[in-house]
Amino acid sequence: MRDTAHVPVTGQTIDLGEFDLALLGQVFDASPVGMSIIDLHGRFIRVNAAYEALLGSGPDDTFPSDLGATTRAEDRAWTANYIRRLRSGDLASFSSRKRIVRRDGSDITALVQLTPLRDQDGHPVAILGVATPTDDPPTVDDARVRRFLERSST
């Protein structure tokens, strides 16, 4: 993060007021939990080391450009629908167990939580993603919700 009160995100400027951005950046980077900042179209803006490790990537590896590259093909439609609903304000946040595609092509199941980051007027400007590995597979209920959302988005 930049040490300034105005941080450009996806072509917009956010006034963060008195936040200590250097400290906030350190918290993000040092978090033992996988964290990402995603633009409103699903492209990664920033990820921390824990998120890189979750995906089997290191600091010298080329990181995927968007969520689609880390999402199984059969899960992309419902993931895109949730991003759209977060962007529109239809959802305040989203949480689900999700299979994430790692760098080597294997899957890892994680509890994924997505929350819009809003500007001072309440408009979403980016999305905070938090991913915590879990041994629990995605649930049947998640699959039913995915099918419902896929049908409702067409």
Side-chain angles (χ1 to χ4, degrees), residues 123-146:
H123 300 109
V125 294
I127 297 169
L128 173 65
V130 177
T132 308
T134 179
D135 292 332
D136 298 330
T139 64
V140 173
D141 289 340
D142 287 341
R144 288 180 185 155
V145 168
R146 291 175 191 161

Side-chain angles (χ1 to χ4, degrees), residues 49 52 57-62:
E52 287 179 339
S57 297
D60 296 330
D61 294 326
T62 302

Side-chain angles (χ1 to χ4, degrees), residues 1 21-35 37 46-52:
M1 283 191 166
L21 293 180
L23 179 61
L24 188 59
Q26 290 175 31
V27 169
F28 182 91
D29 292 338
S31 174
V33 176
M35 297 175 70
I37 298 176
R46 182 177 178 159
V47 298
N48 69 358
Y51 196 83
E52 287 179 339

